[in-house]
Amino acid sequence: MSPTQPSGASPTVGINSARSALKLGAGQVAELWLDRRRRDQRLAELAGLARKAGVHVRQLDRDALDTAAGGANHQGVIAWVSGPAARPVQDLDALLGGLDHPPLLLILDGVTDPHNLGACLRSADAAGADAVIAPKDKAAGLTPAAVKVASGAAESVPFIQVTNLARSLAQLKAAGVWLMGTAEDVPASLYATALTGPLGLVLGGEGSGLRRLTREHCDVLMRIPMRGRVESLNVSVAAGVCLYEALRQRGGDRV
């Protein structure tokens, strides 16, 4: 019989992701599940962190972990985290209004690979982005695989899923956010584009790039210079390049 999963909680899989959940939001971790056959120090450390935070630890067979993880590589660890997997669009105004610096946002249009989403979240955290915004439909959400690849960034960077991306882009523009989209067929270079001030970096999905309506909502379209034979970068790599160019132009910090 499969163990009962904590009500209202979603699985965060992998050693690093579970450690981040326990350190950054232990109050939201309902339970920690560990592979009963593993006796290594990293799992013992997680168990210690959980008990210190008052989180119940369960030792289970690997089959139960495999089922709960839904095919993701859990490394013998699942932290059950309560609360929503993503924040609603209604949180966007409050998030922008609560900042004491010009916002830096990463907006993803149709990124369907959860590994790419996780890597984008990780880059967004490293560069000090204030949020990652993505549509609900035809796009990856905070699956166990995405959270694992994010290595803690899913807990630290607000991930906002919107029903209508074009409407949300218009909302951001009305709030004074400049939208800078990436495209391969435009003359303006990323490195010749001003990325200071209230900024939303808009990147398209794997292969297809920005959709027409998303593209039309951008204030500026820019390209990442390519010197080799490949035609484009992976979206998570492109996100890192753009975020860090914005960070460089802002003097190396978020302000």
Side-chain angles (χ1 to χ4, degrees), residues 38-154:
R38 289 189 56 170
R39 293 291 184 269
D40 58 78
Q41 183 164 349
R42 291 195 296 172
L43 265 64
E45 176 197 355
L46 289 176
L49 284 172
R51 293 187 178 104
K52 185 177 179 180
V55 174
H56 179 58
V57 179
R58 300 179 68 179
Q59 303 284 345
L60 300 170
D61 292 331
R62 186 176 183 86
D63 288 347
L65 298 176
D66 290 343
T67 299
N73 180 16
H74 53 73
Q75 299 176 299
V77 179
I78 298 179
W80 289 93
V81 182
S82 60
R87 294 172 63 169
V89 67
Q90 290 81 3
D91 286 3
L92 191 53
D93 283 337
L95 185 148
L96 295 175
L99 299 177
D100 60 0
H101 56 267
L104 174 59
L105 308 172
L106 177 62
I107 302 163
L108 304 175
D109 181 22
V111 173
T112 58
D113 186 338
H115 293 84
N116 280 339
L117 173 61
C120 286
L121 283 164
R122 188 169 182 174
S123 294
D125 175 90
D130 296 297
V132 174
I133 301 170
K136 289 182 179 179
D137 295 333
K138 298 180 181 179
L142 290 183
T143 65
V147 173
K148 181 176 185 297
V149 173
S151 297

Side-chain angles (χ1 to χ4, degrees), residues 83-246:
R87 294 172 63 169
V89 67
Q90 290 81 3
D91 286 3
L92 191 53
D93 283 337
L95 185 148
L96 295 175
L99 299 177
D100 60 0
H101 56 267
L104 174 59
L105 308 172
L106 177 62
I107 302 163
L108 304 175
D109 181 22
V111 173
T112 58
D113 186 338
H115 293 84
N116 280 339
L117 173 61
C120 286
L121 283 164
R122 188 169 182 174
S123 294
D125 175 90
D130 296 297
V132 174
I133 301 170
K136 289 182 179 179
D137 295 333
K138 298 180 181 179
L142 290 183
T143 65
V147 173
K148 181 176 185 297
V149 173
S151 297
E155 290 82 18
S156 60
V157 179
F159 178 66
I160 298 176
Q161 282 189 307
V162 301
T163 302
N164 187 316
L165 183 60
R167 185 186 305 143
S168 297
L169 293 176
Q171 177 185 351
L172 289 171
K173 293 179 73 170
V177 176
W178 279 81
L179 301 178
M180 309 294 194
T182 59
E184 301 172 9
D185 57 346
V186 295
S189 168
L190 164 71
Y191 301 112
T193 303
L195 302 178
T196 55
L199 176 64
L201 294 168
V202 190
L203 279 73
E206 304 90 352
S208 58
L210 296 177
R211 291 176 294 175
R212 178 187 60 80
L213 198 55
T214 302
R215 187 171 169 136
E216 290 175 357
H217 275 83
C218 291
D219 296 293
V220 174
L221 291 173
M222 57 190 181
R223 60 179 173 81
I224 299 174
M226 304 290 292
R227 294 292 181 262
R229 295 185 179 182
V230 298
E231 296 181 355
S232 63
L233 294 173
N234 176 281
V235 64
S236 63
V237 176
V241 170
C242 293
L243 285 164
Y244 270 88
E245 174 59 15

Side-chain angles (χ1 to χ4, degrees), residues 8-10 12 21-22 24-31 53 55 79-84 154-155:
S10 57
T12 295
L22 288 166
L24 298 175
Q28 295 182 322
V29 180
E31 286 186 356
V55 174
W80 289 93
V81 182
S82 60
E155 290 82 18

